[in-house]
Amino acid sequence: MTLTPSSMTAIRFGYGLGSASAADDAETLIAELEPARRQVPLFPLGGAQQRLADIRNYLQEQKRLNQMKAAGESDAEPKKALRSQAQALFRKDAMARIAQAVTSPYAFHERLASFWINHFTVGAGKTPVMLLMVPHFEAVAIRPYLSGSFRELVAAASLHPAMLTFLDQAKSVGPNSPVGKRRGSEGSNENFARELMELHTLGVDAGYSQEDVQQLALLLTGLAIDPMTGETRFEQRRAEPGQFTVLGKVYQRSDVPFADARLVFDDLSRDPRTIKHISTQLASHFISEPPPAAVVEAMARRWEDTDGDLTAIYRAMLGEPMSWEAAGSKIKMPLDYVVSSLKALDADEAVLLKASTVGPAPRQDVMADGDAAMDGMMQPKGQGEPTPKGGAKRQPLAGHALRALTDLGQPLWRASNAAGFDDESQSWLSPSQISERIAWARRAIGYLGAGRDPREFVETTLADFARDDTILVVGQAPNRQAGLLAALASPEFNRR
């Protein structure tokens, strides 16, 4: 199916259609990137500088509690309280991240941010302080760089303390360094070096050897985290001395902090294997599986011509005719589905982030008819959201969205491993997945569906992407809520 340019830009390259006007060509999408880069995100709470202070205070309090324990005093309750504070901040940041994606006028930029935060995965469950670090990581190490050069993005993501913590680089010590000799260290930690090559740059089948991984791990020793501030620093006394051969190139240890790491980041970013790997991932994420070879080749050529300028690479992808064909080739990942449904329902920052005392989400039997016409979309479990009593406050809708993402298998900022969440459609197409999506859609409709005409809604949210079967089911729904759900649960709305 070939859609109008405005439909395709919104559905394939953004978070879907809503009542607001959508971009209608590739250059409009590209033009978003610079003002979006300058936009301060809604997270972390208090801003990036305040979050650095929060991290510093957390680490210093943690040190004080450890000293209490060493002195024989009980630290259990204060540690519990400290972690609870970090969890509360994390939850507020995560809700703000949802609101950012839904309400930002720069939907293509938001989609790119979601792609790159998944590519450079850091999981907030690694240690308690990561609850504070991960939102800061996206705000300062991903978003400002996603329209610049790839090598700058790699360096920013790799040198952030969240990445060094998540991949255990902060523990890595060169065996022949002063610290290594004193400790009798058996060797450096290889996690960071391996994932840098396997996931972030070259790709898993790029032909590098275990020796390359070991040499790169030694080269990267010295990257550490200040235990009192949580910021990245270079410690020469932990760095393996000498020279290292990685992918056939010899690197000599420099006395300049971070110089060795930045040099290898640059070389990996310019490697033809990296160029093909990242171009393929981008095209697969936005267009189809597998991506059209012509699109990947155009992106790779532009990468080589511009030394990895990401804006130019996106423009090359958007400039290929095949990028605008075969709508619906990809199943939306859970985050895409949740955000696009909120956008379709015109959720604003207030309803997303503030507790509400508005009437309860209605109970409804929303799928009484029309199941067969919906291509296997399943009846949701239960009979609707519980009714609060006596005007009790309902939690912000973004809080429900976070719970839905967990139920759907993509908990925000909490990937369990460095590979991130699977971007392949088959991972998100199952009866249980669809059932959970319907359950989420019902909850969102309970908040935002009042007074909406389902027939107008399907026209606004799906436009020329809507199939005749879906239009029929929506039009014949037994009530408004059922009609809205039929639109949000339709095969079209689950695809892009």
Side-chain angles (χ1 to χ4, degrees):
M1 178 185 293
T2 301
L3 306 183
T4 61
S6 59
S7 294
M8 186 66 96
T9 53
I11 290 169
R12 173 162 286 176
F13 301 109
Y15 278 119
L17 293 160
S19 60
S21 60
D24 58 7
D25 58 35
E27 280 307 311
T28 306
L29 292 178
I30 293 297
E32 289 183 6
L33 299 180
E34 181 55 27
R37 184 186 65 82
R38 297 195 301 268
Q39 183 186 49
V40 179
L42 297 175
F43 62 92
L45 190 69
Q49 289 303 311
Q50 178 58 49
R51 181 49 48 88
L52 290 178
D54 295 336
I55 293 169
R56 182 172 61 251
N57 292 339
Y58 182 96
L59 292 172
Q60 291 173 355
E61 178 64 8
Q62 188 177 60
K63 180 180 179 181
R64 187 185 71 82
L65 295 178
N66 289 338
Q67 291 171 340
M68 282 177 54
K69 185 176 181 179
E73 300 178 52
S74 174
D75 66 340
E77 287 303 314
K79 276 191 173 180
K80 182 179 179 180
L82 184 63
R83 177 156 189 159
S84 293
Q85 292 170 10
Q87 289 171 330
L89 274 178
F90 178 80
R91 179 174 174 78
K92 290 179 180 179
D93 287 339
M95 289 195 295
R97 173 66 172 83
I98 296 291
Q100 175 73 34
V102 174
T103 63
S104 172
Y106 309 118
F108 182 49
H109 183 272
E110 291 300 319
R111 281 285 308 284
L112 287 167
S114 294
F115 170 84
W116 287 115
I117 193 65
N118 195 49
H119 181 79
F120 293 104
T121 289
V122 291
K126 179 77 174 185
T127 65
V129 75
M130 286 285 279
L131 295 166
L132 304 178
M133 283 185 174
V134 170
H136 185 269
F137 171 79
E138 179 174 341
V140 307
I142 299 296
R143 286 176 172 264
Y145 298 94
L146 58 78
S147 58
S149 74
F150 179 72
R151 56 191 177 84
E152 291 173 347
L153 175 58
V154 170
S158 298
L159 294 176
H160 192 278
M163 183 66 74
L164 301 184
T165 300
F166 187 61
L167 295 179
D168 302 312
Q169 180 61 29
K171 301 176 183 177
S172 191
V173 176
N176 295 305
S177 67
V179 172
K181 288 180 177 179
R182 187 178 73 248
R183 294 181 180 177
S185 174
E186 295 180 357
S188 58
N189 189 295
E190 296 176 3
N191 289 354
F192 180 42
R194 186 179 307 281
E195 307 306 358
L196 176 62
M197 291 198 289
E198 179 177 310
L199 298 175
H200 301 166
T201 57
L202 303 174
V204 65
D205 298 318
Y208 54 84
S209 67
Q210 176 60 21
E211 179 68 18
D212 289 319
V213 174
Q214 292 169 345
Q215 288 285 290
L216 180 56
L218 290 171
L219 174 62
L220 294 173
T221 53
L223 298 179
I225 297 174
D226 188 315
M228 295 306 295
T229 68
E231 296 182 76
T232 300
R233 67 184 185 187
F234 185 78
E235 295 185 9
Q236 191 76 42
R237 61 195 182 89
R238 298 164 64 98
E240 181 75 1
Q243 61 182 28
F244 317 91
T245 303
V246 181
L247 301 172
K249 179 172 180 177
V250 177
Y251 298 84
Q252 183 68 43
R253 174 66 70 196
S254 169
D255 292 331
V256 179
F258 304 110
D260 308 313
R262 290 186 179 280
L263 181 57
V264 79
F265 296 156
D266 287 355
D267 289 339
L268 288 171
S269 298
R270 294 180 172 118
D271 191 292
R273 292 166 289 187
T274 296
I275 294 172
K276 181 179 180 181
H277 177 225
I278 305 302
S279 297
T280 300
Q281 283 193 321
L282 275 164
S284 178
H285 176 78
F286 280 100
I287 301 169
S288 65
E289 301 164 11
V295 176
V296 175
E297 290 167 4
M299 295 169 70
R301 286 195 302 271
R302 195 62 180 148
W303 189 311
E304 292 172 347
D305 292 343
T306 63
D307 194 21
D309 181 275
L310 290 169
T311 297
I313 294 162
Y314 306 148
R315 181 179 275 112
M317 175 180 70
L318 296 170
E320 286 296 307
M322 293 184 73
S323 295
W324 299 83
E325 298 173 358
S329 298
K330 293 275 294 188
I331 298 291
K332 293 177 181 177
M333 296 175 72
L335 178 62
D336 297 340
Y337 180 77
V338 168
V339 170
S340 61
S341 60
L342 290 168
K343 187 178 181 69
L345 290 164
D346 297 321
D348 59 22
E349 189 175 327
V351 74
L352 287 167
L353 298 181
K354 294 182 181 179
S356 173
T357 55
V358 298
R363 295 174 180 268
Q364 61 248 12
D365 293 317
V366 294
M367 294 290 290
D369 300 301
D371 295 321
M374 297 188 64
D375 284 359
M377 294 294 167
M378 298 180 63
Q379 179 85 4
K381 295 177 285 187
Q383 296 296 318
E385 186 178 338
T387 302
K389 296 180 179 179
K393 283 190 176 181
R394 296 157 63 193
Q395 71 165 310
L397 183 52
H400 288 292
L402 293 179
R403 175 59 184 270
L405 288 174
T406 298
D407 293 341
L408 288 164
Q410 192 184 4
L412 186 63
W413 288 328
R414 287 189 285 130
S416 60
N417 61 68
F421 297 106
D422 199 336
D423 199 6
E424 292 187 1
S425 292
Q426 64 180 6
S427 298
W428 308 111
L429 184 61
S430 68
S432 62
Q433 177 74 199
I434 293 169
S435 181
E436 291 292 352
R437 292 186 184 211
I438 292 173
W440 154 251
R442 297 178 73 210
R443 185 171 290 112
I445 290 167
Y447 269 76
L448 299 170
R452 294 180 182 273
D453 185 323
R455 290 164 295 186
E456 293 179 0
F457 182 74
V458 76
E459 182 177 346
T460 300
T461 59
L462 291 175
D464 49 335
F465 195 24
R467 300 174 307 145
D468 290 342
D469 284 349
T470 297
I471 295 171
L472 180 64
V473 170
V474 171
Q476 294 181 345
N479 54 55
R480 288 177 182 267
Q481 290 78 19
L484 295 173
L485 182 61
L488 293 182
S490 67
E492 303 95 295
F493 196 84
N494 280 269
R495 292 179 173 271
R496 48 180 174 78

